[in-house]
């Protein structure tokens, strides 16, 4: 959950691969060394809505007591030992039904953490592996992938800007789609400044169904023009490499 939208686009792709950060300053399974009495609550203790709300208020300000904002988000991530750009934070936001990147409302917090039976940092640390495991289910991953589009784009825009889109694609597909590096390169040199929801959803389907050699790609299929152009571009790149190799041998 980045501090802000622009920070997301700048840092996610540097810090993340699918499910695991490239560098983690804090162990995912450790509880912070500076523990309050709240953190001494045993993970097996029953869920308390009152305790959950008290925990939420540790991350809010008197001016906005029902909104956990970017500063509170950083402190929350520090308390549970997770980088803000970790994909597990996207899964948690999905569980909460959060509507804006970098923010949790009190209602969203209660919804998600009641379902997870979490009312303390200690309990959340225990749940992190479960949250990551949700990504291993193809249907759940598809739901989270689609959720990420509306969650990450600017609420007043119909499409996701290309910088945010590339960062989120790196986060979600970077380690699991063999053609992702080529697709990212294609986007870099393309005319596209934004990605719409139809394109976003079809990128996932393309990554799941089209083989790395493009042999099962149907030019008459119902893919968005963006993906037709990607295939044309990639085939051209490969033919140029083949020609260069043949000419030097």
């Amino acid at each position: 959950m980045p501090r802000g939208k622009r920070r997301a686009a700048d840092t996610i792709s540097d810090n993340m691969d699918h499910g695991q950060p490239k560098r983690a300053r804090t162990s995912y399974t450790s509880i912070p060394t500076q523990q309050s009495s709240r953190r001494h609550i045993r993970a097996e203790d029953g869920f308390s809505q009152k305790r959950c709300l008290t925990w939420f208020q540790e991350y809010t300000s008197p001016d906005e007591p029902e909104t956990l904002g970017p500063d509170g988000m950083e402190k929350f991530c520090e308390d549970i030992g997770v980088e803000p750009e970790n994909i597990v934070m996207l899964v948690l936001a999905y569980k909460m039904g959060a509507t804006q990147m970098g923010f949790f409302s009190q209602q969203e917090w209660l919804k998600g953490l009641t379902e997870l039976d979490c009312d303390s940092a200690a309990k959340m640390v225990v749940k992190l592996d479960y949250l990551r495991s949700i990504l291993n289910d193809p249907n759940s991953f598809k739901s989270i992938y689609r959720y990420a589009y509306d969650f990450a784009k600017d609420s007043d825009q119909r499409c996701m800007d290309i910088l945010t889109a590339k960062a989120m694609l790196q986060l979600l597909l970077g380690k699991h789609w063999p053609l992702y590096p080529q697709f990212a390169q294609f986007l870099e040199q393309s005319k596209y400044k934004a990605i719409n929801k139809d394109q976003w959803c079809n990128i996932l389907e393309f990554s799941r169904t089209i083989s790395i050699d493009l042999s099962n790609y149907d030019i008459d299929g119902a893919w968005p023009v963006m993906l037709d152009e990607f295939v044309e571009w990639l085939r051209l790149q490969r033919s140029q490499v083949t020609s260069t190799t043949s000419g030097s041998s």
Side-chain angles (χ1 to χ4, degrees):
M1 187 73 56
R3 180 183 178 89
K5 193 70 60 65
R6 295 301 164 200
R7 177 178 169 185
D10 292 339
T11 59
I12 290 179
S13 59
D14 291 336
N15 290 338
M16 293 298 310
D17 47 35
H18 185 74
Q20 298 293 334
K22 292 179 181 177
R23 63 182 189 275
R25 292 190 292 269
T26 311
S27 169
Y28 291 143
T29 56
S30 65
I31 298 175
T33 54
Q34 294 182 343
Q35 296 182 342
S36 67
S37 58
R38 168 179 58 79
R39 297 186 182 88
H40 287 292
I41 297 169
R42 295 178 301 170
E44 62 269 21
D45 286 347
F47 176 81
S48 164
Q49 185 177 93
K50 180 179 179 181
R51 193 158 57 218
C52 189
L53 284 172
T54 300
W55 183 30
F56 176 79
Q57 289 160 6
E58 293 186 22
Y59 307 116
T60 62
S61 68
D63 293 336
E64 295 185 279
E66 296 189 357
T67 301
L68 189 161
D71 291 336
M73 194 69 70
E74 287 197 353
K75 184 176 185 298
F76 170 64
C77 289
E78 181 181 349
D79 284 351
I80 64 173
V82 172
E83 292 288 338
E85 296 82 17
N86 193 302
I87 197 171
V88 77
M89 293 301 295
L90 177 62
V91 181
L92 179 58
Y94 168 76
K95 281 289 188 182
M96 291 186 180
T99 59
Q100 184 178 6
M101 182 181 288
F103 297 84
F104 291 148
S105 70
Q106 180 174 291
Q107 183 178 1
E108 291 165 351
W109 176 275
L110 276 178
K111 174 187 178 295
L113 298 193
T114 298
E115 180 182 340
L116 292 170
D117 284 328
C118 284
D119 54 20
S120 69
K123 291 181 181 179
M124 180 57 67
V125 168
V126 173
K127 289 288 185 178
L128 293 178
D129 284 342
Y130 162 71
L131 291 172
R132 293 189 188 97
S133 74
I134 294 174
L135 295 163
N136 297 327
D137 175 70
N139 291 329
S140 295
F141 182 88
K142 183 176 182 178
S143 295
I144 293 168
Y145 178 91
R146 292 192 170 200
Y147 161 80
Y149 182 83
D150 291 317
F151 176 65
K153 76 177 182 65
D154 288 323
S155 58
D156 59 347
Q157 298 293 322
R158 294 185 61 185
C159 298
M160 183 188 292
D161 71 85
I162 199 67
L163 290 177
T164 302
K166 287 189 292 186
M168 295 303 292
L169 287 169
Q170 170 66 41
L171 179 68
L172 289 156
L173 300 180
K175 275 295 187 178
H176 291 264
W177 182 21
L179 291 178
Y180 175 76
Q182 290 90 340
F183 187 68
Q185 187 180 353
F186 163 75
L187 290 179
E188 285 287 344
Q189 58 81 55
S190 76
K191 64 182 183 294
Y192 292 100
K193 304 301 182 186
I195 288 182
N196 64 40
K197 194 162 190 176
D198 180 65
Q199 292 166 336
W200 177 263
C201 293
N202 273 280
I203 289 168
L204 176 61
E205 295 309 309
F206 186 97
S207 74
R208 288 180 164 185
T209 58
I210 302 302
S211 60
I212 192 169
D213 64 1
L214 305 176
S215 59
N216 62 339
Y217 175 79
D218 181 4
I219 195 171
D220 295 321
W223 298 109
V225 172
M226 170 189 278
L227 292 172
D228 291 334
E229 292 175 348
F230 168 60
V231 170
E232 182 180 356
W233 175 86
L234 182 55
R235 283 175 170 165
L236 179 61
Q237 299 298 308
R238 288 174 173 177
S239 67
Q240 289 174 346
V241 170
T242 301
S243 299
T244 302
T245 304
S246 300
S248 60
S249 59

